[in-house]
Amino acid sequence: MGFFNRLKESLSKTRQGLVEKIENLITGRQVIDESLYEELEEALIGADVGVETSLELMETLRRRVKEQKLRDPARLKPLLQELITDELGTGDSSLNRGGPPTVILVVGVNGVGKTTTIGKLAYYYKTRGERVLLGAADTFRAAAIDQLEIWGRRVGVDVIKHREGSDPAAVAYDALQAARARKMDMLIIDTAGRLHTKSNLMEELKKIRRVLGRELSGAPHEVLLVLDATTGQNAISQARLFSEATGVTGIVLTKLDGTARGGVIIGIRRMLNIPVKFIGIGEGVEDLQPFNPQEFAAALFD
Amino acid sequence: MIFAGLAEKLQETFRRLKSKGRLTEADVDEAMKEVRRALLAADVNFQVVKSFVARVKERAVGQDVLSSLTPAQQVIKIVREELAGLMGGTQSKLNMAPKPPTVVMMVGLHGAGKTTTAAKLANLMRKQGRRPLLVACDVYRPAAIKQLQVLGEQLDIPVFSMGDRHTPVDIARAAVEHATRQGRDLVIIDTAGRLEINEEMMAELEELKAALRPHEILLVVDAMTGQVAVNIAETFNKRLGLDGVVLTKLDGDTRGGAALSIKAVTGCPIKFVGVGEKLDALEPFHPDRMADRILGMGDVLTLIEKAQASFDAEQVARLNKKIRSADFTLDDFLEQLQEVKKLGPIQQIISMLPGLGNMKKLKELGDIDDRELVYVEAIIRSMTPWERAHPHEINGSRRRRIARGSGTSVQKVNSVLKQFEQTRKMMRQLAEMGRGGKKGARLPRNLFPGKDNPLF
């Protein structure tokens, strides 16, 4: 099964929760009135599109309806589809490259799936012929290094590590030296999960960033913030504070599979103003793929 | 920020209605729009919000506005009461088996924090006199077993594991037998994270439940979860029959509407909350405080409680008197620092203060390092009593001596003296404000030098 079909399948619940719900709300209605708008708004919010984005989508919808003097509720669905597709944007999801090696720093709060994402990213690029090295700079969480090593073995890439509790910036430094010596194309660095409100931990990230930038100009070339698709409005706060500390350049949205959580991606661009680069739609090693907005919209609506 | 805090918005909405003694339906409608947005922004499930708003409306319309309260406060009061009510009473006890061992099963999605919570719970229960055994049944995630083992080692609590080649049911069965033999009266089982729609994995939990007949099944939920929290909890509840919920990662800035939604929809009580990375950061759940948090009103109660528990009342009274008289010396400054230190990490204190959560200055405030206080203390302690009473007389040579004595630098001594001076200035202003009868945020005044103090 191709990725598009798996994407479609994993979005089936979102389709039920959002698209079909919109259809149900619209069918059988005679007029476009305030209560219909309100229910549509609730459908969007309920699909985790985000409060702000939902409210603005509805405002645009109201304005368009007025401008085009629409009366028939059935016309709302294609209009909403158009608005949502616009909202998803066109965007380019390819990674910023530099180096060599291209240095990718992976950050995020606890439990979003950073280590797993790195394993899958390594797999993605390795199967495309790149030489990838991993740096285990999550020296805080118990057994995080082991977890990354298991991934490294699975995928067949090396992991540079220190002992648990050592300085993450030192790990990053060594990993970069090793990546250069071994002529790697790409270095992906794992960091400890941290709540974005802990300023001392955010300082630690800044230090890793500084060390990398000093050793290789332009590094890290990509700072990927891993977001869990089950996260609600707090995603905004996470994106803002991580961006302030580390200059996030892209988002990886994980755990999109299965349940009705696809909606969150619609609001992300407006709320966070950072492009989504990869999405994770399953537990398999191949289930992390570059994000393609048009494909996503097609999988959602068609 | 989109949502500046419900209280302020409501205040604004009602300012126009000030003269009215009775709230009309239209007034309440207006206010409820803000309530609705605040709740949605806090990730409260939209269906829960809908019925909640309807109920509050019903209560608020036509109520006589008490003379002592403004309409805004009246509505907030109703909203708070209803919110706290929705979240149920305090219930932070586990169901205990009449005949030990008690078996507790931790379940949840990937990354919710099951393994860490299992260890924290074991630690908490040991403090209450139990003899816990941790069981590693996550045979899927790489290194999950190792993680539990490391945590167990840190806590000195035994961890039972059989590697990842056995089924969770076999491991758990053997663990309960092991616990019985070893006289362990509490078995805490860590299971693998799973999606609630993964049929195979959910069936595995049902099997585990049938085999073990656990006394308590706890769903571990990330407090940052959005609207889907309800679907997750509902499915787990339907399949397993949950006894309680543990909310994790509450030490971030999430409003935690997921908590409210889960309680409202499934009826499962929230028993514990995880509030930090340290293994003792698991606390009982307080519905009223959660209500305040969701409304953006800060966790004043927790702070007051903490302050009461750790402050020497007499000392505080004396200090307050000094503040008001503007007769504030470096000795008092030091004393005050020590009082504040007793409250816990400064960052935690700040997060509990209402209004500060939304302040632009929060970032600077958050940057305070508790270690800085140690330097300040050392510097003040290196001064003579005379110097402490006469900070203006501390000249260059004295500063050099103090720097040497405290193992710091002259710059550090200078900055402490500057901070002290600013604090004193502010104290004077506060004292004047107090005399002028102007009412501001009253709470922190006697606890802290003030939020504008560079030290805090």
Side-chain angles (χ1 to χ4, degrees):
Chain A
M1 193 162 53
F3 186 74
F4 182 75
N5 284 328
R6 275 219 307 285
L7 179 66
K8 261 192 101 154
E9 193 184 87
S10 75
L11 287 177
S12 65
K13 280 273 167 62
T14 309
R15 202 158 39 240
Q16 281 168 23
L18 182 62
V19 181
E20 286 175 22
K21 193 156 180 211
I22 291 174
E23 281 166 4
N24 290 343
L25 287 175
I26 289 170
T27 20
R29 294 271 184 149
Q30 304 301 319
V31 288
I32 301 175
D33 58 10
E34 202 44 40
S35 77
L36 178 57
Y37 282 131
E38 207 164 283
E39 282 174 50
L40 287 174
E41 183 185 303
E42 270 164 13
L44 290 174
I45 291 173
D48 265 326
V49 169
V51 181
E52 197 188 5
T53 311
S54 302
L55 295 179
E56 285 184 36
L57 276 174
M58 292 319 294
E59 242 159 65
T60 317
L61 186 71
R62 282 193 180 97
R63 205 174 53 239
R64 292 276 190 90
V65 166
K66 224 183 223 169
E67 280 166 12
Q68 301 174 16
K69 297 195 169 56
L70 297 182
R71 291 281 165 82
D72 182 7
R75 297 286 301 278
L76 289 180
K77 196 207 154 190
L79 198 54
L80 253 177
Q81 176 170 351
E82 191 191 319
L83 292 179
I84 289 173
T85 308
D86 280 355
E87 196 69 38
L88 282 166
T90 46
D92 174 21
S93 61
S94 58
L95 293 184
N96 300 322
R97 302 304 296 252
T102 295
V103 179
I104 301 170
L105 188 63
V106 178
V107 301
V109 302
N110 317 65
V112 289
K114 280 180 298 300
T115 308
T116 308
T117 297
I118 290 169
K120 293 176 182 175
L121 268 178
Y123 175 84
Y124 180 86
Y125 284 102
K126 184 162 189 252
T127 51
R128 278 155 186 79
E130 304 217 21
R131 294 165 53 80
V132 183
L133 186 70
L134 306 180
D138 179 354
T139 57
F140 178 80
R141 181 168 64 87
I145 300 172
D146 300 75
Q147 193 182 346
L148 192 67
E149 276 193 304
I150 294 171
W151 269 108
R153 273 202 297 280
R154 262 187 208 169
V155 176
V157 300
D158 286 340
V159 178
I160 301 298
K161 58 165 186 174
H162 285 190
R163 290 179 45 193
E164 215 167 87
S166 57
D167 179 6
V171 180
Y173 176 89
D174 280 357
L176 182 53
Q177 299 306 342
R180 282 169 137 176
R182 301 183 196 180
K183 301 204 168 11
M184 290 289 163
D185 301 309
M186 182 177 278
L187 168 66
I188 311 177
I189 297 173
D190 190 16
T191 63
R194 62 203 72 217
L195 287 177
H196 45 296
T197 48
K198 309 251 154 115
S199 62
N200 51 341
L201 292 176
M202 297 307 262
E203 284 302 321
E204 184 184 285
L205 281 183
K206 284 187 200 165
K207 183 176 169 193
I208 296 176
R209 218 199 129 88
R210 272 199 309 276
V211 167
L212 292 171
R214 200 172 56 214
E215 291 307 307
L216 178 65
S217 93
H221 308 96
E222 190 81 61
V223 179
L224 294 178
L225 172 66
V226 182
L227 279 181
D228 181 334
T230 48
T231 305
Q233 299 290 300
N234 194 254
I236 307 171
S237 173
Q238 288 175 29
R240 201 183 63 239
L241 294 177
F242 271 105
S243 288
E244 276 171 22
T246 61
V248 174
T249 54
I251 287 182
V252 180
L253 197 63
T254 60
K255 310 184 198 178
L256 260 178
D257 40 336
T259 46
R261 20 196 94 134
V264 71
I265 212 167
I266 297 169
I268 269 185
R269 208 170 63 116
R270 176 192 295 268
M271 292 191 298
L272 314 184
N273 207 16
I274 303 168
V276 176
K277 299 223 162 166
F278 277 85
I279 54 175
I281 58 162
E283 292 175 35
V285 70
E286 291 176 349
D287 288 336
L288 185 81
Q289 294 283 332
F291 173 61
N292 178 336
Q294 288 99 332
E295 196 179 76
F296 189 89
L300 188 59
F301 282 103
D302 301 337
Chain B
M1 279 309 293
I2 345 168
F3 301 99
L6 182 64
E8 286 145 60
K9 286 243 167 140
L10 281 184
Q11 227 75 282
E12 178 64 39
T13 312
F14 281 109
R15 196 160 302 152
R16 284 166 266 141
L17 316 168
K18 229 175 183 172
S19 56
K20 293 189 184 176
R22 180 177 275 267
L23 296 178
T24 69
E25 200 165 340
D27 302 339
V28 175
D29 272 349
E30 185 84 0
M32 282 305 121
K33 257 191 198 149
E34 297 298 342
V35 173
R36 175 171 176 270
R37 280 188 74 171
L39 293 178
L40 287 173
D43 286 322
V44 181
N45 184 270
F46 72 98
Q47 275 158 336
V48 177
V49 172
K50 205 171 181 178
S51 58
F52 176 82
V53 165
R55 206 165 41 250
V56 172
K57 226 184 242 177
E58 204 174 293
R59 269 189 69 185
V61 171
Q63 276 218 22
D64 284 324
V65 178
L66 299 172
S67 54
S68 59
L69 291 170
T70 67
Q73 280 165 331
Q74 176 91 339
V75 172
I76 291 169
K77 192 170 149 257
I78 296 172
V79 169
R80 270 192 69 189
E81 279 171 15
E82 287 285 334
L83 268 185
L86 255 186
M87 279 182 281
T90 318
Q91 196 182 355
S92 52
K93 293 216 163 35
L94 297 178
N95 297 319
M96 284 298 165
K99 191 170 148 264
T102 298
V103 179
V104 179
M105 225 167 102
M106 317 290 291
V107 301
L109 300 187
H110 308 267
K114 284 175 299 301
T115 307
T116 309
T117 304
K120 285 178 177 174
L121 186 63
N123 188 30
L124 185 74
M125 296 314 284
R126 183 176 56 182
K127 277 186 199 152
Q128 296 174 13
R130 304 275 162 188
R131 290 164 50 78
L133 174 73
L134 286 163
V135 184
C137 277
D138 181 354
V139 296
Y140 304 100
R141 179 163 63 91
I145 296 171
K146 177 92 187 286
Q147 187 185 353
L148 193 65
Q149 282 168 340
V150 172
L151 295 174
E153 223 167 88
Q154 282 171 16
L155 290 170
D156 197 20
I157 288 173
V159 175
F160 184 91
S161 75
M162 290 164 57
D164 55 8
R165 298 276 157 87
H166 292 83
T167 66
V169 173
D170 287 345
I171 299 171
R173 270 214 187 104
V176 174
E177 273 171 36
H178 178 81
T180 315
R181 272 200 309 276
Q182 302 282 318
R184 295 269 146 195
D185 57 5
L186 178 65
V187 179
I188 300 176
I189 296 172
D190 181 29
T191 65
R194 64 203 71 215
L195 281 173
E196 75 279 13
I197 52 145
N198 186 329
E199 186 48 44
E200 216 176 299
M201 291 295 279
M202 292 304 282
E204 182 193 283
L205 283 183
E206 282 172 334
E207 253 178 72
L208 205 53
K209 181 186 172 181
L212 293 178
R213 301 179 177 281
H215 307 91
E216 179 94 22
I217 301 182
L218 290 175
L219 177 70
V220 181
V221 181
D222 185 330
M224 294 178 279
T225 311
Q227 296 281 327
V228 287
V230 162
N231 314 21
I232 295 164
E234 254 183 334
T235 314
F236 272 97
N237 192 32
K238 222 180 281 161
R239 301 290 293 255
L240 300 169
L242 300 173
D243 298 287
V245 173
V246 182
L247 213 57
T248 60
K249 306 178 206 172
L250 255 184
D251 46 335
D253 58 355
T254 174
R255 289 272 165 87
L260 176 73
S261 314
I262 290 173
K263 177 64 178 52
V265 172
T266 65
C268 291
I270 294 148
K271 294 198 168 174
F272 300 98
V273 294
V275 292
E277 291 179 348
K278 299 272 159 57
L279 290 172
D280 58 359
L282 189 73
E283 293 179 354
F285 175 70
H286 295 285
D288 43 351
R289 295 174 192 178
M290 197 68 204
D292 284 349
R293 184 178 181 132
I294 289 172
L295 294 174
M297 290 165 73
D299 203 348
V300 187
L301 280 172
T302 308
L303 187 62
I304 292 174
E305 212 170 71
K306 270 200 165 176
Q308 278 169 345
S310 53
F311 276 28
D312 176 343
E314 221 171 283
Q315 215 175 355
V316 171
R318 196 155 45 82
L319 207 55
N320 275 338
K321 209 171 146 198
K322 284 220 162 184
I323 292 170
R324 303 227 183 281
S325 66
D327 174 25
F328 187 70
T329 68
L330 274 162
D331 266 323
D332 303 322
F333 188 54
L334 184 62
E335 205 174 282
Q336 200 168 7
L337 283 184
Q338 278 156 351
E339 290 295 333
V340 170
K341 241 170 47 184
K342 281 193 223 158
L343 280 176
I346 288 182
Q347 255 181 320
Q348 209 182 327
I349 301 170
I350 289 166
S351 71
M352 287 190 273
L353 286 174
L356 289 191
N358 303 319
M359 274 184 44
K360 275 198 208 107
K361 280 204 160 176
L362 182 71
K363 217 182 127 262
E364 300 153 40
L365 287 163
D367 283 342
I368 306 150
D369 192 335
D370 286 294
R371 275 168 303 185
E372 279 294 311
L373 291 186
V374 179
Y375 292 121
V376 176
E377 219 181 300
I379 287 169
I380 298 178
R381 286 199 192 284
S382 299
M383 298 173 182
T384 65
W386 182 83
E387 283 168 343
R388 290 182 212 176
H390 303 87
H392 289 292
E393 310 285 334
I394 303 178
N395 59 21
S397 125
R398 286 179 189 274
R399 283 175 201 221
R400 275 197 297 281
R401 195 205 75 241
I402 292 165
R404 271 204 309 280
S406 57
T408 58
S409 61
V410 176
Q411 284 86 344
K412 269 235 155 79
V413 176
N414 287 342
S415 83
V416 168
L417 286 170
K418 209 163 134 200
Q419 281 164 352
F420 166 72
E421 197 40 56
Q422 275 165 350
T423 307
R424 185 149 83 160
K425 220 184 262 166
M426 223 169 43
M427 295 282 168
R428 219 171 288 146
Q429 280 166 1
L430 279 176
E432 273 155 27
M433 240 167 75
R435 273 198 291 279
K438 192 180 163 200
K439 278 184 188 157
R442 265 168 303 172
L443 177 89
R445 190 183 296 170
N446 53 358
L447 302 184
F448 305 100
K451 58 181 188 262
D452 294 325
N453 186 327
L455 240 189
F456 295 94

